[in-house]
């Protein structure tokens, strides 16, 4: 069950993620409908797009709206796929998944307790999710931008941050092996597109060099999709894109759906 949230009100650097949902939809429509890797013809699947949520200026209200929408989708035993919008929106979704461990893709630790006077700023998502889920239940992969304040918060090790340099050194399959003991069979999966290297994903609000490869993220999706109960893609902005980031976001959604539905041995 797909829905878009065109909100980027707390974005600190390059805005435009409010334009991402439609940009990702357009890219999705241009993807080939069949994928032999999954042996799936995507139009045959039951995927519903609810369109965009009506958003206001207030981040708190928008996060509450996301919480409500996701709770309805979840009650209906469907899998919510949220197209952001900025990363703060994820908090509303996570409130519905207290039984889950969380897998985040992000360049940033997003571990500030507040930013620009706002505890729901997009730079605080991991910290807010920790408040909801508790320690040792969040894995954030692709980390390479952390403030000293976050690093020395005394709680930094309550989240398993996997630095992008470690992914490069060890390879994603070995990282996935390491994570077996942390990640449960119920997952909330949040992809901040800036976790991926700007070479693959230039159209993001706060680009950060030395990131993950697109195929690293595909591999993680292949591995974890069948255990995932909620999914989002955030922080993509078409205003700084050459078209590749929308296409990659659309492809990752296809990978998510394909990984869930496929009977092929994809991992
Ligand atoms: Mn980020
Ligand atoms: Mn983020």
């Amino acid at each position: 069950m797909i829905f878009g949230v065109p909100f980027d009100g707390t974005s600190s650097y390059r805005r435009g993620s409010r334009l991402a949902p439609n940009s990702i939809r357009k890219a999705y429509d241009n993807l080939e409908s069949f994928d032999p890797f999954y042996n799936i013809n995507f139009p045959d699947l039951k995927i519903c797009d609810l369109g965009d949520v009506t958003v206001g200026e207030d981040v708190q209200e928008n996060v509450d709206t996301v919480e409500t929408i996701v709770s309805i989708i979840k009650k209906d035993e469907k899998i919510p796929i949220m197209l952001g919008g900025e990363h703060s929106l994820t908090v509303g979704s996570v409130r519905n998944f207290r039984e889950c461990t969380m897998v985040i893709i992000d360049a940033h630790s997003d571990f500030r307790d507040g930013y620009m006077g706002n505890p729901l700023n997009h730079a605080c998502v991991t910290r807010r999710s920790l408040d909801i889920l508790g320690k040792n239940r969040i894995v954030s992969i692709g980390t390479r931008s952390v403030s000293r304040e976050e690093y020395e918060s005394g709680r930094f090790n309550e989240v398993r941050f996997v630095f992008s340099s470690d992914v490069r050194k060890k390879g994603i399959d070995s990282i996935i092996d390491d994570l077996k003991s942390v990640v449960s069979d119920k997952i909330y999966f949040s992809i901040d597109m800036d976790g991926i290297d700007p070479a693959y994903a230039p159209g993001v609000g706060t680009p950060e060099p030395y990131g993950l490869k697109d195929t690293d993220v595909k591999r993680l999706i292949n591995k974890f999709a069948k255990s995932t109960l909620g999914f989002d893609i955030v922080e993509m902005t078409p205003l700084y894109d050459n078209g590749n980031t929308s296409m990659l976001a659309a492809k990752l959604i296809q990978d998510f759906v394909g990984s869930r539905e496929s009977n092929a041995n994809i991992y």
Side-chain angles (χ1 to χ4, degrees):
M1 202 65 96
I2 292 171
F3 67 100
V5 192
F7 175 71
D8 58 12
T10 81
S11 295
S12 44
Y13 183 37
R14 313 199 302 197
R15 288 204 176 182
S17 67
R18 69 186 179 280
L19 305 169
N22 279 343
S23 174
I24 296 169
R25 287 182 178 105
K26 210 190 242 173
Y28 190 96
D29 289 341
N30 282 290
L31 291 172
E32 183 58 73
S33 54
F34 176 73
D35 189 334
F37 182 74
Y38 302 108
N39 192 17
I40 279 176
N41 189 44
F42 285 91
D44 296 341
L45 303 177
K46 288 179 184 160
I47 304 170
C48 169
D49 185 352
L50 301 171
D52 284 354
V53 174
T54 306
V55 297
E57 287 295 306
D58 183 46
V59 61
Q60 174 113 41
E61 261 172 45
N62 294 332
V63 168
D64 290 347
T65 305
V66 168
E67 179 181 0
T68 306
I69 289 164
V70 170
S71 80
I72 294 167
I73 294 172
K74 197 182 177 211
K75 243 176 241 156
D76 213 19
E77 293 176 13
K78 304 289 189 295
I79 306 291
I81 298 177
M82 177 172 72
L83 311 178
E86 55 169 64
H87 209 170
S88 55
L89 300 164
T90 296
V91 174
S93 196
V94 169
R95 286 178 189 156
N96 291 285
F97 293 99
R98 290 167 201 269
E99 74 279 29
C100 289
T101 49
M102 187 176 186
V103 175
I104 304 171
I105 308 293
D106 205 323
H108 310 92
S109 51
D110 285 353
F111 206 63
R112 287 178 160 90
D113 205 16
Y115 192 60
M116 294 160 95
N118 190 348
L120 280 177
N121 187 283
H122 70 135
C124 313
V125 185
T126 308
R127 188 62 174 265
R128 291 292 80 77
S129 300
L130 175 65
D131 294 344
I132 297 167
L133 299 175
K135 63 178 174 182
N136 303 327
R137 296 183 59 207
I138 303 176
V139 176
S140 185
I141 305 161
T143 318
R144 55 200 183 275
S145 173
V146 185
S147 71
R148 180 172 287 276
E149 170 208 343
E150 293 168 291
Y151 198 62
E152 294 177 350
S153 62
R155 302 191 64 187
F156 197 71
N157 60 4
E158 295 181 12
V159 170
R160 176 81 156 260
F161 288 102
V162 180
F163 286 74
S164 60
S165 52
D166 284 335
V167 178
R168 288 195 175 226
K169 215 184 298 166
K170 294 184 173 178
I172 195 66
D173 286 346
S174 143
I175 296 287
I176 289 172
D177 259 2
D178 291 351
L179 294 179
K180 266 187 201 145
S181 57
V182 195
V183 178
S184 74
D185 58 354
K186 288 180 180 166
I187 295 170
Y188 185 85
F189 204 133
S190 179
I191 299 181
D192 179 329
M193 286 298 286
D194 66 34
I196 302 162
D197 193 89
Y200 306 99
V204 295
T206 39
E208 195 67 44
Y210 312 137
L212 302 177
K213 287 189 284 189
D214 51 356
T215 46
D216 291 339
V217 178
K218 179 183 184 189
R219 196 82 179 130
L220 287 160
I221 291 175
N222 287 161
K223 173 66 183 174
F224 293 129
K226 281 197 162 106
S227 309
T228 295
L229 305 183
F231 185 85
D232 67 58
I233 291 201
V234 297
E235 295 287 338
M236 185 256 144
T237 164
L239 296 180
Y240 295 86
D241 198 15
N242 54 10
N244 292 352
T245 320
S246 293
M247 199 51 89
L248 178 55
K251 194 72 190 172
L252 294 176
I253 291 167
Q254 215 183 49
D255 283 316
F256 176 62
V257 177
S259 304
R260 291 187 60 82
E261 298 294 326
S262 183
N263 296 316
N265 187 17
I266 52 167
Y267 189 82

